[in-house]
């Protein structure tokens, strides 16, 4: 099986694989088998979330692999995330505790605040997950919970040992700076959208200065958003595929790799972790095998010139026309 480099989380000293497997849009009925297959092909890091609705099944897949002796719990690194409706301190603690039980692995390696947006909780939506919408259809209801309350909940979970590391997702430098003014436990990781159309150089430099590791998601740019329902507002359909971009194809041919491998290697050479998801076994293997070759610095810089500052996953669309009252 393919080996992936281990990075060190500065605040805890814990090791984390640089390449992992993302669980967004993995159907719960497929998740256990897919995760089990991913472990067989060499994946050790899994990126989940309450929002993805497949934590219990993903945990089952990992437990099967452990039971069969393919891996130990210590070799596995599980990331999961707090959903926006659970930002209140007590709710965050009880949701995380429940999520930890669903994974069934004793503890969570990394727990992230999914978005810097607090939404009102609808108790009737606890069983069937409803994403951003209070009524499951169109109502976005904001809640007046400051991030500080949520961060303190994560620190409490960290102190109890439920989660080994804590971090944030979809935050910008300004929002992280605020957390750093009161954090007793600093964020270990920032997870952000990152691809050649969204290079985020300042944010990456800021995180480097602060000793915060960065995971890039949607490494293939528009690709992931093409499979979403038409109700999800995104510019993906009107953006040229990175798999067809002349520069990416030129480099694929130069280095003898696929376009997907060039995109993932560009991110990993920039020091990021990546968490590509694929339902297909061949691609799963291909996406893990992206650290055994190096591109020239000049080629990395040429890829970064594709930058358009383009977000496909922009939470702002949910807030337009909904002032906080
Ligand atoms: P992704 O993993 O970047 O892309 C998945 C898509 O790319 C699928 O359509 C997949 O199709 C295709 N694909 C995968 N490998 C490929 C390859 N080598 N060549 C060509 N196409 C390939 O998408 P993502 O889910 O947006 O991002 C990855 C992970 O990041 C997610 O699973 C999630 O864990 C995390 N994430 C986090 C956030 C956040 O807010 N924090 C947001 C988005 C994502 P097939 O399955 O058919 O191969
Ligand atoms: P991605 O860029 O990894 O995938 C894009 C698309 O490419 C997918 O639809 C996949 O089917 C397709 N694909 C995969 N391998 C391929 C291949 N070899 N050839 C052709 N197509 C291929 O995007 P993503 O799913 O958006 O992100 C990956 C992970 O990031 C997610 O699973 C999730 O874990 C995480 N994520 C986190 C957040 C967050 O807010 N924290 C948001 C989005 C994603």
């Amino acid at each position: 099986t393919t080996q992936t480099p281990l990075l060190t989380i500065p605040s805890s000293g814990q090791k984390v694989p640089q390449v992992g497997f993302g669980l967004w849009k993995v159907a719960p009925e497929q998740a256990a088998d897919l995760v089990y297959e991913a472990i067989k092909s060499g994946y050790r890091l899994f990126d989940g979330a309450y929002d993805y609705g497949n934590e219990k099944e993903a945990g089952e897949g990992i437990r099967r692999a452990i039971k069969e002796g393919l891996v130990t719990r210590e070799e596995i690194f599980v990331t999961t995330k707090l959903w926006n409706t659970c930002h209140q301190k007590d709710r965050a603690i009880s949701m995380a505790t429940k999520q930890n039980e669903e994974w069934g692995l004793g503890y969570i390696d990394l727990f992230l605040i999914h978005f810097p947006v607090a939404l009102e909780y609808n108790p009737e939506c606890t069983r069937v997950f409803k994403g951003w919408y209070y009524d499951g259809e169109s109502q976005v209801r904001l809640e007046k919970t400051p991030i500080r309350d949520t961060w303190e909940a994560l620190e409490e979970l960290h102190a109890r040992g439920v989660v080994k590391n804590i971090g944030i997702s979809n935050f910008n430098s300004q929002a992280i700076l605020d957390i750093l003014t009161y954090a007793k436990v600093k964020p270990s990781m920032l997870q952000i959208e990152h691809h050649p159309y969204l290079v985020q150089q300042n944010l990456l430099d800021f995180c480097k200065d602060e000793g915060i590791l960065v995971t890039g998601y949607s490494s293939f740019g528009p690709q992931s958003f093409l499979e979403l329902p038409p109700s999800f507002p995104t510019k993906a359909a009107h953006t040229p595929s990175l798999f067809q971009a002349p520069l990416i194809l030129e480099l694929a041919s130069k280095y003898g790799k696929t376009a997907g491998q060039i995109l993932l290697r560009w991110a990993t050479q920039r020091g990021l972790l990546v968490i590509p998801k694929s339902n297909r076994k061949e691609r799963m293997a291909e996406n893990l095998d992206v650290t055994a070759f190096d591109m020239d610095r000049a080629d990395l810089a040429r890829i970064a010139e594709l930058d358009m500052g383009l977000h496909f996953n922009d939470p702002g669309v949910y807030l337009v026309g909904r002032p906080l009252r």
Side-chain angles (χ1 to χ4, degrees):
T1 53
T2 307
Q3 299 285 327
T4 180
L6 295 173
L7 305 185
T8 302
I9 297 174
S11 49
S12 67
Q14 199 181 337
K15 303 279 188 202
V16 54
Q18 192 172 13
V19 182
F21 190 86
L23 290 162
W24 184 31
K25 301 191 242 88
V26 172
E29 51 285 5
Q30 287 176 10
D33 288 343
L34 203 62
V35 164
Y36 175 80
E37 280 305 322
I39 292 174
K40 268 192 164 171
S41 62
Y43 284 90
R44 298 293 179 261
L45 161 64
F46 293 91
D47 181 76
Y50 179 76
D51 181 48
Y52 305 161
N54 52 22
E55 291 178 292
K56 187 166 166 282
E57 295 79 4
E60 268 167 38
I62 296 174
R63 290 200 308 276
R64 193 194 306 165
I66 293 175
K67 203 169 160 198
E68 291 181 12
L70 297 177
V71 281
T72 62
R73 171 64 186 93
E74 294 67 38
E75 288 168 319
I76 292 288
F77 193 103
V78 167
T79 300
T80 193
K81 314 183 189 89
L82 180 74
W83 188 239
N84 305 345
T85 51
C86 304
H87 275 214
Q88 282 175 20
K89 202 167 184 176
D90 291 349
R91 181 157 293 134
I93 290 173
S94 66
M95 278 312 299
T97 307
K98 196 172 141 216
Q99 288 177 263
N100 184 38
E101 282 164 15
E102 298 227 315
W103 283 92
L105 298 166
Y107 57 88
I108 298 297
D109 293 280
L110 173 64
F111 195 62
L112 307 176
I113 303 178
H114 206 146
F115 286 95
V117 179
L119 297 176
E120 194 179 318
Y121 182 73
N122 181 346
E124 285 178 23
C125 288
T126 46
R127 283 194 308 132
V128 187
F129 180 68
K130 296 290 205 291
W132 284 79
Y133 300 118
Y134 184 84
D135 58 352
E137 284 170 15
S138 59
Q139 262 187 58
V140 175
R141 290 205 196 172
L142 300 172
E143 178 183 272
K144 291 184 179 175
T145 301
I147 292 298
R148 183 170 187 161
D149 290 4
T150 314
W151 189 255
E152 286 172 359
L154 264 58
E155 290 180 327
E156 172 67 27
L157 289 159
H158 179 264
R160 292 186 195 179
V162 177
V163 304
K164 299 291 177 198
N165 298 279
I166 55 180
I168 59 239
S169 176
N170 301 303
F171 280 56
N172 62 13
S173 342
Q174 299 89 312
I176 299 171
L177 198 53
D178 184 62
I179 295 183
L180 295 176
T181 64
Y182 53 76
K184 296 188 191 80
V185 181
K186 271 181 68 167
S188 300
M189 180 77 72
L190 168 68
Q191 185 178 122
I192 48 165
E193 181 178 343
H194 172 274
H195 43 71
Y197 295 144
L198 184 63
V199 173
Q200 311 237 44
Q201 195 59 53
N202 291 340
L203 180 53
L204 298 181
D205 291 344
F206 172 83
C207 287
K208 195 168 185 193
D209 290 346
E210 293 296 346
I212 300 170
L213 289 179
V214 180
T215 299
Y217 71 71
S218 304
S219 305
F220 308 128
Q223 186 67 35
S224 175
F225 299 87
L226 297 174
E227 52 185 85
L228 292 171
S231 56
F232 185 94
T234 167
K235 301 169 191 120
H238 311 287
T239 309
S241 168
L242 283 166
F243 290 110
Q244 309 299 329
L247 174 62
I248 303 301
L249 294 176
E250 176 198 321
L251 296 175
S253 141
K254 174 174 173 181
Y255 292 103
K257 299 288 169 186
T258 68
Q261 288 173 315
I262 295 296
L263 294 166
L264 294 170
R265 187 58 184 138
W266 175 71
T268 51
Q269 275 191 259
R270 283 161 61 78
L272 282 86
L273 291 82
V274 289
I275 43 174
K277 162 258 162 195
S278 180
N279 291 332
R280 309 189 203 181
K281 249 177 150 175
E282 332 76 70
R283 285 179 179 173
M284 202 191 256
E286 173 187 321
N287 292 348
L288 185 63
D289 185 16
V290 293
T291 49
F293 71 103
D294 285 326
M295 292 191 278
D296 302 335
R297 292 184 72 89
D299 290 332
L300 301 179
R302 285 172 75 207
I303 298 177
E305 284 170 17
L306 298 176
D307 194 14
M308 296 196 278
L310 189 51
H311 290 259
F312 297 106
N313 194 349
D314 174 8
V317 301
Y318 296 106
L319 309 181
V320 175
R322 297 179 173 103
L324 180 64
R325 306 227 190 265

